[in-house]
Every structure is written in C-alpha cells, then in structure tokens.
Amino acid sequence: MKKPVSVASLSEFGRVRLSKSFFMRDFLFSDIAAIHGLPNVPDDPDLAIAAGSRLCEDLLEPLQDRFGRLAIRSAFRSCEVNGLGSEMMNAGKAGYNCASNERNYASHIWDQKRDGMMGATACIVVPSFWDAFQEEGDWQKLAWWIHDHLPYSSLYFFPKYWAFNISWFEQPARTIHSYTSPKGCLTKPGMENHVGTHEHEWAGIEKAMNFVATR
C-alpha cells in the first residue's frame, strides 16, 4: 500500500481493520499533529498495519474482552510528528512527551523497525478499572493482571486515569514501569518478582469492576 496523500486514500487507509474491534483510524489522532497542522500518516503503511494488527489482536482485544471498552489516548505517530514532539519536549514546552524518533521506532512509530523487528505502542485508559480503583498504587493490580495473562513487551503507567503505554514487540522485553506512585520499575526479567503467578495482586479486580459497571 502506498502512503496516503489524499483525503480519499487516507479514508481508505483508515478503514483498514486491524482486529475485530479496531480500525486504523482509531489510532491516527495526534494532539501534536492537530495543533501543528501535520499529517499523522505512516511512510510504510503495510508495516504499520502489520505491527498494529499484532498490538490489537494480542493485547488490546483481550483487554477489551475482559474489562470493557478501551479509550485510546495516543498511538501511532509519524516520524515528523514524533520528531517535533521530541524537539519541543527537549525545549521545555508543556504538553509534549515524546522520546526521540530512534527510541520510538517499533513503539509509537509503528512504521519503522528496531533491530530488524517490528512493534507498536498505544497509550490507553481502561475506564472500568479507573472507576473501580483510584487509591494510590492501585494501578499495580491491572499491571500484574496483564503480566500474567498477555504477551506484552512493556507497560508504562501514568497518574491520570491510570493511563498506560502498552507495547507489542516481536521480541518482548516484559518490563513494567510507572510515572505514578510508587514510581520506577515494578518488574523486569531477573527480578525476583518476575516469574510465577501474581494472582494475589490482582484477585478480585474483575468482580469489583463488574460491580461498578452495574451500579
């Protein structure tokens, strides 16, 4: 597929179905692109589709099946959009939170490989989880559930609504970090808490979330 360069071709690209619930259009909105008037479209649409499909099929669909509708906060970024975001962040501008393009290859930049492998990232909110769990550190319940059930590569949690970056990568790193309390690394390979079941950490979250949804 060629890079979309017209409204018609971008509309067609947006209709590409990545999984049973998600379409490419769901992942193309960018605050940076909207404010700066930049097209947020991939240079390599086929690679973006391939990586995005794995993100959706392997991670987002199972999450949505279990916990209800997901809200997409930020997902695909073109090199141009991410590059500007990184430049503005380094200049100290508020609201810009983009790592360098090189660090975001096969992450938010779906249409570039890293070390020869593809990957994709989306920043999402699980509304039902936030509605049920808002105490300090509660984000860890969802983090451990994902760790025990899904083939994620990395998770980064944030304070607002327990939003988090969830990444799929061909060679998953299996790391969990947080920018909210408690901050830092929750787990990574080699840590004592990395292996085995963590059901004691997440037991009961589904029941609590279902109760909130039916109140």
Side-chain angles (χ1 to χ4, degrees):
M1 180 181 293
K2 294 182 179 179
K3 178 180 179 178
V5 293
S6 66
V7 171
S9 60
L10 183 56
S11 294
E12 193 63 27
F13 178 64
R15 293 188 181 101
V16 172
R17 193 172 186 178
L18 301 178
S19 63
K20 68 177 183 179
S21 303
F22 297 103
F23 294 79
M24 182 59 76
R25 180 172 288 158
D26 299 326
F27 301 94
L28 296 181
F29 179 78
S30 160
D31 292 329
I32 295 172
I35 291 296
H36 291 278
L38 299 174
N40 190 42
V41 296
D43 294 317
D44 187 340
D46 290 326
L47 180 55
I49 291 169
S53 295
R54 295 270 51 84
L55 172 69
C56 292
E57 291 281 4
D58 296 352
L59 301 179
L60 302 189
E61 289 288 0
L63 269 174
Q64 186 160 268
D65 285 345
R66 186 59 62 94
F67 299 122
R69 177 186 173 273
L70 305 181
I72 310 298
R73 292 282 302 126
S74 174
F76 170 80
R77 299 181 198 141
S78 70
C79 286
E80 182 180 16
V81 168
N82 189 84
L84 176 61
S86 180
E87 178 184 332
M88 298 294 272
M89 184 185 72
N90 291 334
K93 302 294 184 180
Y96 297 85
N97 297 290
C98 301
S100 68
N101 281 8
E102 290 73 18
R103 289 182 61 189
N104 259 323
Y105 287 160
S107 181
H108 278 293
I109 302 176
W110 298 6
D111 62 330
Q112 294 285 338
K113 292 184 177 181
R114 183 173 77 248
D115 299 328
M117 290 176 283
M118 67 178 183
T121 292
C123 183
I124 66 172
V125 170
V126 182
S128 63
F129 183 76
W130 171 257
D131 289 343
F133 297 101
Q134 297 182 17
E135 296 298 321
E136 182 176 330
D138 274 353
W139 61 270
Q140 295 172 95
K141 300 177 188 294
L142 183 57
W144 284 124
W145 187 93
I146 294 172
H147 183 76
D148 282 358
H149 292 87
L150 302 179
Y152 75 98
S153 180
S154 66
L155 305 174
Y156 279 86
F157 280 80
F158 303 95
K160 292 184 178 180
Y161 301 111
W162 302 143
F164 60 100
N165 284 347
I166 182 168
S167 300
W168 179 91
F169 189 62
E170 284 189 88
Q171 190 175 77
R174 304 284 291 176
T175 61
I176 303 176
H177 292 82
S178 172
Y179 296 107
T180 187
S181 182
K183 296 181 180 180
C185 180
L186 178 64
T187 193
K188 64 181 179 180
M191 289 181 65
E192 187 175 347
N193 67 356
H194 195 72
V195 298
T197 181
H198 304 84
E199 187 173 0
H200 62 287
E201 298 284 355
W202 53 260
I205 65 172
E206 293 159 324
K207 182 178 180 181
M209 291 162 67
N210 289 336
F211 173 75
V212 169
T214 56
R215 281 191 302 185

